[in-house]
Amino acid sequence: MKTIDYDLRKILDKAENDEALNRDDCRYLLNLDEKSFEAGLLRAAASSLIRSKNDNSAIILGQIGVDVNPCPGGCKFCTFGEEHTHFERVRMSEEELCQKIEEFCRYGDLYGLYLMSMHDYDFDHYLKCIELARKIAPSTTQIWANVGDTSLDGYKQLHAAGVTGVYHVCRLREGIDTALKPEDRIKSMQNALEAGLELYTCCEPIGPEHSVDELVDNIFIGIEMNIYQHAAMRRVAVPGAPLAHYGQISELRLAQIVAVIALASATVPTMAYMGAHEPNKLCYTAGANIITAESGANPRDNSDDTAENRGMDMARCRKMMFECGFDYLRRGDESKIPLDFDYLLKTDSWQ
């Protein structure tokens, strides 16, 4: 057996003993070669630690893109950036939104439902979408918002309407690869927390050109805010997006980054779940336990409905979590559903 590097052993022991990892620890782990023995140990340690904290449970989130328009956020990695998008302004009909919500919630095992809009969004219309989702979704499914920068008062209104939490990020090279200000993004995250909402953030969108220092700085934005969920997302080289020429990192490298974030976030008191975008089995054996089914518009997809292209449906999500060895799915009230072969058959998920 190969001797384990002393520094690696020391860092993994810290994580096992519920000691917070610092930035230098994370730099060391991110500098490991993702193909190395040491990186394999890192992924295994993160998976073991996260699974031990919640009885080897996973959660399924759903996301529906309810509005599409050329976006002034100008993100060079996003298919909706107004300078390069082929999309025109489109609003999902109430009938279609109802149908998609019902499909996500058919078996009552959706932990949370995201309603996604553009950076600039019609707040009153969005409130109507929330109201509709709250009527259709069971009480065991939380409603989450994925919208642009929002004021404290706006988030308070979303909370009062039945929203539990928000997905919001200050992205890698915000203000350079986007037309948005990092301070505005962070302020919006703070507004959400002050409004009593849970915060789900992510280190994203990761490309081959991003340095380890950039990744570490981005990871700790969420950790220092006491997020409820953290994640890592690789940038998809969407044809036509200005950054597509950089290509993509591998799923193996993404799994390493997931493992580092999982270990670094594990001591955050409010941290419960770890995500990976887009879903893949390597990440779910490296500390991730959130999987997302998607429908409607998707910033990583040129299709009008990502469910017909990149997006995974609920059945594929259930099966992937089963194949990755999770024993339970959690509902939004934290109750557990045994994730076994019989459940896959019951939910038409064994394909």
PDB file of all heavy atoms in Angstrom, residues 313-345:
ATOM      1  N   ASP A 313     -34.627  13.960 -15.848  1.00  0.00           N
ATOM      2  CA  ASP A 313     -35.948  13.901 -15.244  1.00  0.00           C
ATOM      3  C   ASP A 313     -35.874  13.216 -13.882  1.00  0.00           C
ATOM      4  O   ASP A 313     -34.809  12.756 -13.452  1.00  0.00           O
ATOM      5  CB  ASP A 313     -36.949  13.207 -16.171  1.00  0.00           C
ATOM      6  CG  ASP A 313     -36.593  11.750 -16.474  1.00  0.00           C
ATOM      7  OD1 ASP A 313     -35.757  11.158 -15.755  1.00  0.00           O
ATOM      8  OD2 ASP A 313     -37.163  11.201 -17.430  1.00  0.00           O
ATOM      9  N   MET A 314     -37.001  13.153 -13.175  1.00  0.00           N
ATOM     10  CA  MET A 314     -37.031  12.597 -11.825  1.00  0.00           C
ATOM     11  C   MET A 314     -36.630  11.119 -11.818  1.00  0.00           C
ATOM     12  O   MET A 314     -35.911  10.669 -10.916  1.00  0.00           O
ATOM     13  CB  MET A 314     -38.424  12.772 -11.228  1.00  0.00           C
ATOM     14  CG  MET A 314     -38.817  14.203 -10.933  1.00  0.00           C
ATOM     15  SD  MET A 314     -37.883  14.926  -9.569  1.00  0.00           S
ATOM     16  CE  MET A 314     -38.523  13.999  -8.171  1.00  0.00           C
ATOM     17  N   ALA A 315     -37.078  10.373 -12.806  1.00  0.00           N
ATOM     18  CA  ALA A 315     -36.768   8.946 -12.845  1.00  0.00           C
ATOM     19  C   ALA A 315     -35.266   8.701 -12.945  1.00  0.00           C
ATOM     20  O   ALA A 315     -34.707   7.852 -12.230  1.00  0.00           O
ATOM     21  CB  ALA A 315     -37.501   8.285 -14.016  1.00  0.00           C
ATOM     22  N   ARG A 316     -34.603   9.437 -13.825  1.00  0.00           N
ATOM     23  CA  ARG A 316     -33.151   9.280 -13.966  1.00  0.00           C
ATOM     24  C   ARG A 316     -32.423   9.706 -12.692  1.00  0.00           C
ATOM     25  O   ARG A 316     -31.406   9.117 -12.313  1.00  0.00           O
ATOM     26  CB  ARG A 316     -32.646  10.089 -15.160  1.00  0.00           C
ATOM     27  CG  ARG A 316     -33.020   9.501 -16.512  1.00  0.00           C
ATOM     28  CD  ARG A 316     -32.530  10.397 -17.624  1.00  0.00           C
ATOM     29  NE  ARG A 316     -31.084  10.523 -17.632  1.00  0.00           N
ATOM     30  CZ  ARG A 316     -30.422  11.489 -18.271  1.00  0.00           C
ATOM     31  NH1 ARG A 316     -31.096  12.430 -18.912  1.00  0.00           N
ATOM     32  NH2 ARG A 316     -29.104  11.528 -18.232  1.00  0.00           N
ATOM     33  N   CYS A 317     -32.944  10.729 -12.013  1.00  0.00           N
ATOM     34  CA  CYS A 317     -32.326  11.173 -10.763  1.00  0.00           C
ATOM     35  C   CYS A 317     -32.424  10.092  -9.687  1.00  0.00           C
ATOM     36  O   CYS A 317     -31.460   9.799  -8.979  1.00  0.00           O
ATOM     37  CB  CYS A 317     -32.988  12.456 -10.266  1.00  0.00           C
ATOM     38  SG  CYS A 317     -32.581  13.922 -11.233  1.00  0.00           S
ATOM     39  N   ARG A 318     -33.616   9.504  -9.556  1.00  0.00           N
ATOM     40  CA  ARG A 318     -33.790   8.439  -8.555  1.00  0.00           C
ATOM     41  C   ARG A 318     -32.827   7.281  -8.837  1.00  0.00           C
ATOM     42  O   ARG A 318     -32.172   6.765  -7.920  1.00  0.00           O
ATOM     43  CB  ARG A 318     -35.223   7.910  -8.575  1.00  0.00           C
ATOM     44  CG  ARG A 318     -36.283   8.899  -8.129  1.00  0.00           C
ATOM     45  CD  ARG A 318     -37.651   8.231  -8.081  1.00  0.00           C
ATOM     46  NE  ARG A 318     -38.697   9.231  -7.944  1.00  0.00           N
ATOM     47  CZ  ARG A 318     -39.445   9.675  -8.956  1.00  0.00           C
ATOM     48  NH1 ARG A 318     -39.262   9.192 -10.188  1.00  0.00           N
ATOM     49  NH2 ARG A 318     -40.373  10.585  -8.737  1.00  0.00           N
ATOM     50  N   LYS A 319     -32.765   6.875 -10.100  1.00  0.00           N
ATOM     51  CA  LYS A 319     -31.926   5.735 -10.438  1.00  0.00           C
ATOM     52  C   LYS A 319     -30.454   6.029 -10.199  1.00  0.00           C
ATOM     53  O   LYS A 319     -29.711   5.183  -9.691  1.00  0.00           O
ATOM     54  CB  LYS A 319     -32.149   5.316 -11.891  1.00  0.00           C
ATOM     55  CG  LYS A 319     -31.409   4.023 -12.228  1.00  0.00           C
ATOM     56  CD  LYS A 319     -31.695   3.551 -13.638  1.00  0.00           C
ATOM     57  CE  LYS A 319     -30.946   2.250 -13.918  1.00  0.00           C
ATOM     58  NZ  LYS A 319     -31.139   1.805 -15.320  1.00  0.00           N
ATOM     59  N   MET A 320     -29.994   7.240 -10.537  1.00  0.00           N
ATOM     60  CA  MET A 320     -28.594   7.577 -10.318  1.00  0.00           C
ATOM     61  C   MET A 320     -28.249   7.549  -8.840  1.00  0.00           C
ATOM     62  O   MET A 320     -27.190   7.045  -8.439  1.00  0.00           O
ATOM     63  CB  MET A 320     -28.246   8.937 -10.918  1.00  0.00           C
ATOM     64  CG  MET A 320     -26.764   9.292 -10.784  1.00  0.00           C
ATOM     65  SD  MET A 320     -26.249  10.821 -11.619  1.00  0.00           S
ATOM     66  CE  MET A 320     -26.222  10.275 -13.331  1.00  0.00           C
ATOM     67  N   MET A 321     -29.137   8.058  -7.975  1.00  0.00           N
ATOM     68  CA  MET A 321     -28.870   8.040  -6.537  1.00  0.00           C
ATOM     69  C   MET A 321     -28.851   6.612  -6.003  1.00  0.00           C
ATOM     70  O   MET A 321     -28.055   6.268  -5.122  1.00  0.00           O
ATOM     71  CB  MET A 321     -29.910   8.872  -5.784  1.00  0.00           C
ATOM     72  CG  MET A 321     -29.872  10.365  -6.103  1.00  0.00           C
ATOM     73  SD  MET A 321     -28.328  11.204  -5.611  1.00  0.00           S
ATOM     74  CE  MET A 321     -27.347  11.025  -7.109  1.00  0.00           C
ATOM     75  N   PHE A 322     -29.716   5.753  -6.540  1.00  0.00           N
ATOM     76  CA  PHE A 322     -29.700   4.342  -6.171  1.00  0.00           C
ATOM     77  C   PHE A 322     -28.389   3.696  -6.593  1.00  0.00           C
ATOM     78  O   PHE A 322     -27.737   2.983  -5.809  1.00  0.00           O
ATOM     79  CB  PHE A 322     -30.877   3.619  -6.820  1.00  0.00           C
ATOM     80  CG  PHE A 322     -30.839   2.118  -6.677  1.00  0.00           C
ATOM     81  CD1 PHE A 322     -31.300   1.504  -5.516  1.00  0.00           C
ATOM     82  CD2 PHE A 322     -30.338   1.325  -7.699  1.00  0.00           C
ATOM     83  CE1 PHE A 322     -31.254   0.121  -5.381  1.00  0.00           C
ATOM     84  CE2 PHE A 322     -30.291  -0.064  -7.575  1.00  0.00           C
ATOM     85  CZ  PHE A 322     -30.752  -0.666  -6.407  1.00  0.00           C
ATOM     86  N   GLU A 323     -27.976   3.933  -7.826  1.00  0.00           N
ATOM     87  CA  GLU A 323     -26.744   3.337  -8.339  1.00  0.00           C
ATOM     88  C   GLU A 323     -25.521   3.818  -7.561  1.00  0.00           C
ATOM     89  O   GLU A 323     -24.515   3.111  -7.471  1.00  0.00           O
ATOM     90  CB  GLU A 323     -26.579   3.673  -9.825  1.00  0.00           C
ATOM     91  CG  GLU A 323     -27.666   3.115 -10.739  1.00  0.00           C
ATOM     92  CD  GLU A 323     -27.575   1.611 -10.941  1.00  0.00           C
ATOM     93  OE1 GLU A 323     -26.864   0.930 -10.188  1.00  0.00           O
ATOM     94  OE2 GLU A 323     -28.229   1.118 -11.873  1.00  0.00           O
ATOM     95  N   CYS A 324     -25.596   5.022  -6.983  1.00  0.00           N
ATOM     96  CA  CYS A 324     -24.468   5.562  -6.230  1.00  0.00           C
ATOM     97  C   CYS A 324     -24.512   5.154  -4.759  1.00  0.00           C
ATOM     98  O   CYS A 324     -23.690   5.620  -3.966  1.00  0.00           O
ATOM     99  CB  CYS A 324     -24.421   7.078  -6.372  1.00  0.00           C
ATOM    100  SG  CYS A 324     -23.966   7.607  -8.046  1.00  0.00           S
ATOM    101  N   GLY A 325     -25.462   4.304  -4.386  1.00  0.00           N
ATOM    102  CA  GLY A 325     -25.424   3.676  -3.071  1.00  0.00           C
ATOM    103  C   GLY A 325     -26.122   4.404  -1.948  1.00  0.00           C
ATOM    104  O   GLY A 325     -25.914   4.055  -0.779  1.00  0.00           O
ATOM    105  N   PHE A 326     -26.964   5.389  -2.252  1.00  0.00           N
ATOM    106  CA  PHE A 326     -27.702   6.063  -1.182  1.00  0.00           C
ATOM    107  C   PHE A 326     -28.857   5.183  -0.729  1.00  0.00           C
ATOM    108  O   PHE A 326     -29.538   4.556  -1.541  1.00  0.00           O
ATOM    109  CB  PHE A 326     -28.214   7.429  -1.651  1.00  0.00           C
ATOM    110  CG  PHE A 326     -27.114   8.432  -1.843  1.00  0.00           C
ATOM    111  CD1 PHE A 326     -26.609   8.695  -3.109  1.00  0.00           C
ATOM    112  CD2 PHE A 326     -26.561   9.092  -0.758  1.00  0.00           C
ATOM    113  CE1 PHE A 326     -25.576   9.608  -3.286  1.00  0.00           C
ATOM    114  CE2 PHE A 326     -25.530  10.006  -0.927  1.00  0.00           C
ATOM    115  CZ  PHE A 326     -25.031  10.266  -2.197  1.00  0.00           C
ATOM    116  N   ASP A 327     -29.085   5.168   0.575  1.00  0.00           N
ATOM    117  CA  ASP A 327     -30.127   4.313   1.146  1.00  0.00           C
ATOM    118  C   ASP A 327     -31.484   4.989   1.214  1.00  0.00           C
ATOM    119  O   ASP A 327     -32.511   4.303   1.282  1.00  0.00           O
ATOM    120  CB  ASP A 327     -29.732   3.881   2.571  1.00  0.00           C
ATOM    121  CG  ASP A 327     -28.542   2.949   2.578  1.00  0.00           C
ATOM    122  OD1 ASP A 327     -28.403   2.139   1.649  1.00  0.00           O
ATOM    123  OD2 ASP A 327     -27.726   3.025   3.533  1.00  0.00           O
ATOM    124  N   TYR A 328     -31.495   6.319   1.242  1.00  0.00           N
ATOM    125  CA  TYR A 328     -32.752   7.047   1.405  1.00  0.00           C
ATOM    126  C   TYR A 328     -32.799   8.283   0.519  1.00  0.00           C
ATOM    127  O   TYR A 328     -31.763   8.872   0.197  1.00  0.00           O
ATOM    128  CB  TYR A 328     -32.933   7.520   2.866  1.00  0.00           C
ATOM    129  CG  TYR A 328     -32.923   6.427   3.893  1.00  0.00           C
ATOM    130  CD1 TYR A 328     -31.758   6.148   4.614  1.00  0.00           C
ATOM    131  CD2 TYR A 328     -34.071   5.671   4.162  1.00  0.00           C
ATOM    132  CE1 TYR A 328     -31.738   5.138   5.565  1.00  0.00           C
ATOM    133  CE2 TYR A 328     -34.058   4.666   5.113  1.00  0.00           C
ATOM    134  CZ  TYR A 328     -32.885   4.400   5.817  1.00  0.00           C
ATOM    135  OH  TYR A 328     -32.868   3.401   6.754  1.00  0.00           O
ATOM    136  N   LEU A 329     -34.026   8.694   0.180  1.00  0.00           N
ATOM    137  CA  LEU A 329     -34.301  10.030  -0.322  1.00  0.00           C
ATOM    138  C   LEU A 329     -34.980  10.807   0.801  1.00  0.00           C
ATOM    139  O   LEU A 329     -35.770  10.248   1.562  1.00  0.00           O
ATOM    140  CB  LEU A 329     -35.237   9.987  -1.538  1.00  0.00           C
ATOM    141  CG  LEU A 329     -34.683   9.398  -2.831  1.00  0.00           C
ATOM    142  CD1 LEU A 329     -35.771   9.376  -3.899  1.00  0.00           C
ATOM    143  CD2 LEU A 329     -33.462  10.156  -3.323  1.00  0.00           C
ATOM    144  N   ARG A 330     -34.661  12.082   0.907  1.00  0.00           N
ATOM    145  CA  ARG A 330     -35.293  12.943   1.904  1.00  0.00           C
ATOM    146  C   ARG A 330     -36.337  13.833   1.237  1.00  0.00           C
ATOM    147  O   ARG A 330     -36.112  14.375   0.160  1.00  0.00           O
ATOM    148  CB  ARG A 330     -34.249  13.845   2.576  1.00  0.00           C
ATOM    149  CG  ARG A 330     -33.198  13.093   3.368  1.00  0.00           C
ATOM    150  CD  ARG A 330     -33.505  13.092   4.825  1.00  0.00           C
ATOM    151  NE  ARG A 330     -32.434  12.450   5.587  1.00  0.00           N
ATOM    152  CZ  ARG A 330     -32.438  12.338   6.906  1.00  0.00           C
ATOM    153  NH1 ARG A 330     -33.437  12.833   7.616  1.00  0.00           N
ATOM    154  NH2 ARG A 330     -31.443  11.738   7.531  1.00  0.00           N
ATOM    155  N   ARG A 331     -37.465  13.964   1.905  1.00  0.00           N
ATOM    156  CA  ARG A 331     -38.444  14.973   1.505  1.00  0.00           C
ATOM    157  C   ARG A 331     -38.052  16.304   2.144  1.00  0.00           C
ATOM    158  O   ARG A 331     -37.169  16.377   2.988  1.00  0.00           O
ATOM    159  CB  ARG A 331     -39.843  14.578   1.963  1.00  0.00           C
ATOM    160  CG  ARG A 331     -40.348  13.234   1.425  1.00  0.00           C
ATOM    161  CD  ARG A 331     -41.770  13.000   1.901  1.00  0.00           C
ATOM    162  NE  ARG A 331     -42.301  11.702   1.481  1.00  0.00           N
ATOM    163  CZ  ARG A 331     -42.227  10.589   2.203  1.00  0.00           C
ATOM    164  NH1 ARG A 331     -41.607  10.610   3.395  1.00  0.00           N
ATOM    165  NH2 ARG A 331     -42.744   9.455   1.772  1.00  0.00           N
ATOM    166  N   GLY A 332     -38.773  17.353   1.771  1.00  0.00           N
ATOM    167  CA  GLY A 332     -38.465  18.687   2.286  1.00  0.00           C
ATOM    168  C   GLY A 332     -38.714  18.863   3.767  1.00  0.00           C
ATOM    169  O   GLY A 332     -38.239  19.830   4.369  1.00  0.00           O
ATOM    170  N   ASP A 333     -39.450  17.942   4.378  1.00  0.00           N
ATOM    171  CA  ASP A 333     -39.632  17.974   5.835  1.00  0.00           C
ATOM    172  C   ASP A 333     -38.639  17.070   6.545  1.00  0.00           C
ATOM    173  O   ASP A 333     -38.766  16.821   7.747  1.00  0.00           O
ATOM    174  CB  ASP A 333     -41.063  17.592   6.209  1.00  0.00           C
ATOM    175  CG  ASP A 333     -41.416  16.151   5.811  1.00  0.00           C
ATOM    176  OD1 ASP A 333     -40.562  15.473   5.155  1.00  0.00           O
ATOM    177  OD2 ASP A 333     -42.526  15.690   6.139  1.00  0.00           O
ATOM    178  N   GLU A 334     -37.650  16.577   5.797  1.00  0.00           N
ATOM    179  CA  GLU A 334     -36.558  15.715   6.266  1.00  0.00           C
ATOM    180  C   GLU A 334     -37.000  14.282   6.562  1.00  0.00           C
ATOM    181  O   GLU A 334     -36.206  13.480   7.063  1.00  0.00           O
ATOM    182  CB  GLU A 334     -35.839  16.303   7.491  1.00  0.00           C
ATOM    183  CG  GLU A 334     -35.233  17.674   7.250  1.00  0.00           C
ATOM    184  CD  GLU A 334     -34.201  17.698   6.146  1.00  0.00           C
ATOM    185  OE1 GLU A 334     -33.622  16.647   5.826  1.00  0.00           O
ATOM    186  OE2 GLU A 334     -33.977  18.785   5.586  1.00  0.00           O
ATOM    187  N   SER A 335     -38.249  13.928   6.267  1.00  0.00           N
ATOM    188  CA  SER A 335     -38.651  12.524   6.396  1.00  0.00           C
ATOM    189  C   SER A 335     -37.949  11.714   5.306  1.00  0.00           C
ATOM    190  O   SER A 335     -37.564  12.247   4.256  1.00  0.00           O
ATOM    191  CB  SER A 335     -40.164  12.379   6.296  1.00  0.00           C
ATOM    192  OG  SER A 335     -40.645  12.886   5.055  1.00  0.00           O
ATOM    193  N   LYS A 336     -37.778  10.414   5.543  1.00  0.00           N
ATOM    194  CA  LYS A 336     -36.975   9.580   4.656  1.00  0.00           C
ATOM    195  C   LYS A 336     -37.833   8.562   3.906  1.00  0.00           C
ATOM    196  O   LYS A 336     -38.795   8.025   4.447  1.00  0.00           O
ATOM    197  CB  LYS A 336     -35.902   8.833   5.468  1.00  0.00           C
ATOM    198  CG  LYS A 336     -34.875   9.734   6.116  1.00  0.00           C
ATOM    199  CD  LYS A 336     -33.780   8.925   6.810  1.00  0.00           C
ATOM    200  CE  LYS A 336     -34.321   8.098   7.955  1.00  0.00           C
ATOM    201  NZ  LYS A 336     -33.236   7.429   8.711  1.00  0.00           N
ATOM    202  N   ILE A 337     -37.429   8.295   2.676  1.00  0.00           N
ATOM    203  CA  ILE A 337     -38.035   7.257   1.849  1.00  0.00           C
ATOM    204  C   ILE A 337     -36.946   6.239   1.526  1.00  0.00           C
ATOM    205  O   ILE A 337     -35.902   6.611   0.969  1.00  0.00           O
ATOM    206  CB  ILE A 337     -38.574   7.831   0.532  1.00  0.00           C
ATOM    207  CG1 ILE A 337     -39.571   8.960   0.783  1.00  0.00           C
ATOM    208  CG2 ILE A 337     -39.193   6.730  -0.319  1.00  0.00           C
ATOM    209  CD1 ILE A 337     -39.930   9.731  -0.478  1.00  0.00           C
ATOM    210  N   PRO A 338     -37.122   4.969   1.855  1.00  0.00           N
ATOM    211  CA  PRO A 338     -36.116   3.973   1.477  1.00  0.00           C
ATOM    212  C   PRO A 338     -35.918   3.940  -0.036  1.00  0.00           C
ATOM    213  O   PRO A 338     -36.882   3.815  -0.792  1.00  0.00           O
ATOM    214  CB  PRO A 338     -36.703   2.655   2.000  1.00  0.00           C
ATOM    215  CG  PRO A 338     -37.631   3.065   3.102  1.00  0.00           C
ATOM    216  CD  PRO A 338     -38.212   4.375   2.651  1.00  0.00           C
ATOM    217  N   LEU A 339     -34.676   4.085  -0.460  1.00  0.00           N
ATOM    218  CA  LEU A 339     -34.362   4.104  -1.887  1.00  0.00           C
ATOM    219  C   LEU A 339     -33.860   2.716  -2.280  1.00  0.00           C
ATOM    220  O   LEU A 339     -32.660   2.439  -2.292  1.00  0.00           O
ATOM    221  CB  LEU A 339     -33.310   5.177  -2.185  1.00  0.00           C
ATOM    222  CG  LEU A 339     -32.888   5.344  -3.653  1.00  0.00           C
ATOM    223  CD1 LEU A 339     -34.089   5.657  -4.548  1.00  0.00           C
ATOM    224  CD2 LEU A 339     -31.830   6.422  -3.782  1.00  0.00           C
ATOM    225  N   ASP A 340     -34.798   1.837  -2.589  1.00  0.00           N
ATOM    226  CA  ASP A 340     -34.448   0.463  -2.952  1.00  0.00           C
ATOM    227  C   ASP A 340     -35.037   0.130  -4.320  1.00  0.00           C
ATOM    228  O   ASP A 340     -35.688   0.958  -4.964  1.00  0.00           O
ATOM    229  CB  ASP A 340     -34.935  -0.531  -1.887  1.00  0.00           C
ATOM    230  CG  ASP A 340     -36.420  -0.364  -1.549  1.00  0.00           C
ATOM    231  OD1 ASP A 340     -37.174   0.149  -2.416  1.00  0.00           O
ATOM    232  OD2 ASP A 340     -36.820  -0.729  -0.430  1.00  0.00           O
ATOM    233  N   PHE A 341     -34.792  -1.117  -4.747  1.00  0.00           N
ATOM    234  CA  PHE A 341     -35.237  -1.526  -6.082  1.00  0.00           C
ATOM    235  C   PHE A 341     -36.754  -1.451  -6.207  1.00  0.00           C
ATOM    236  O   PHE A 341     -37.289  -1.025  -7.238  1.00  0.00           O
ATOM    237  CB  PHE A 341     -34.750  -2.940  -6.375  1.00  0.00           C
ATOM    238  CG  PHE A 341     -35.092  -3.430  -7.754  1.00  0.00           C
ATOM    239  CD1 PHE A 341     -34.430  -2.931  -8.873  1.00  0.00           C
ATOM    240  CD2 PHE A 341     -36.078  -4.382  -7.937  1.00  0.00           C
ATOM    241  CE1 PHE A 341     -34.754  -3.376 -10.146  1.00  0.00           C
ATOM    242  CE2 PHE A 341     -36.407  -4.829  -9.218  1.00  0.00           C
ATOM    243  CZ  PHE A 341     -35.742  -4.328 -10.315  1.00  0.00           C
ATOM    244  N   ASP A 342     -37.461  -1.840  -5.139  1.00  0.00           N
ATOM    245  CA  ASP A 342     -38.919  -1.785  -5.173  1.00  0.00           C
ATOM    246  C   ASP A 342     -39.415  -0.351  -5.374  1.00  0.00           C
ATOM    247  O   ASP A 342     -40.404  -0.113  -6.075  1.00  0.00           O
ATOM    248  CB  ASP A 342     -39.514  -2.355  -3.880  1.00  0.00           C
ATOM    249  CG  ASP A 342     -39.382  -3.870  -3.792  1.00  0.00           C
ATOM    250  OD1 ASP A 342     -39.174  -4.508  -4.853  1.00  0.00           O
ATOM    251  OD2 ASP A 342     -39.479  -4.411  -2.683  1.00  0.00           O
ATOM    252  N   TYR A 343     -38.715   0.617  -4.768  1.00  0.00           N
ATOM    253  CA  TYR A 343     -39.133   2.005  -4.925  1.00  0.00           C
ATOM    254  C   TYR A 343     -38.904   2.489  -6.350  1.00  0.00           C
ATOM    255  O   TYR A 343     -39.714   3.235  -6.905  1.00  0.00           O
ATOM    256  CB  TYR A 343     -38.390   2.914  -3.938  1.00  0.00           C
ATOM    257  CG  TYR A 343     -38.937   4.325  -3.925  1.00  0.00           C
ATOM    258  CD1 TYR A 343     -40.186   4.588  -3.383  1.00  0.00           C
ATOM    259  CD2 TYR A 343     -38.226   5.377  -4.492  1.00  0.00           C
ATOM    260  CE1 TYR A 343     -40.712   5.873  -3.400  1.00  0.00           C
ATOM    261  CE2 TYR A 343     -38.746   6.669  -4.510  1.00  0.00           C
ATOM    262  CZ  TYR A 343     -39.996   6.908  -3.957  1.00  0.00           C
ATOM    263  OH  TYR A 343     -40.531   8.172  -3.984  1.00  0.00           O
ATOM    264  N   LEU A 344     -37.818   2.039  -6.954  1.00  0.00           N
ATOM    265  CA  LEU A 344     -37.573   2.411  -8.346  1.00  0.00           C
ATOM    266  C   LEU A 344     -38.669   1.862  -9.255  1.00  0.00           C
ATOM    267  O   LEU A 344     -39.135   2.540 -10.177  1.00  0.00           O
ATOM    268  CB  LEU A 344     -36.208   1.913  -8.801  1.00  0.00           C
ATOM    269  CG  LEU A 344     -34.987   2.533  -8.135  1.00  0.00           C
ATOM    270  CD1 LEU A 344     -33.708   1.980  -8.782  1.00  0.00           C
ATOM    271  CD2 LEU A 344     -34.987   4.052  -8.220  1.00  0.00           C
ATOM    272  N   LEU A 345     -39.101   0.633  -8.984  1.00  0.00           N
ATOM    273  CA  LEU A 345     -40.192   0.060  -9.777  1.00  0.00           C
ATOM    274  C   LEU A 345     -41.485   0.829  -9.558  1.00  0.00           C
ATOM    275  O   LEU A 345     -42.218   1.144 -10.509  1.00  0.00           O
ATOM    276  CB  LEU A 345     -40.384  -1.413  -9.405  1.00  0.00           C
ATOM    277  CG  LEU A 345     -39.247  -2.364  -9.788  1.00  0.00           C
ATOM    278  CD1 LEU A 345     -39.572  -3.772  -9.282  1.00  0.00           C
ATOM    279  CD2 LEU A 345     -39.041  -2.389 -11.299  1.00  0.00           C
TER     280      LEU A 345
END
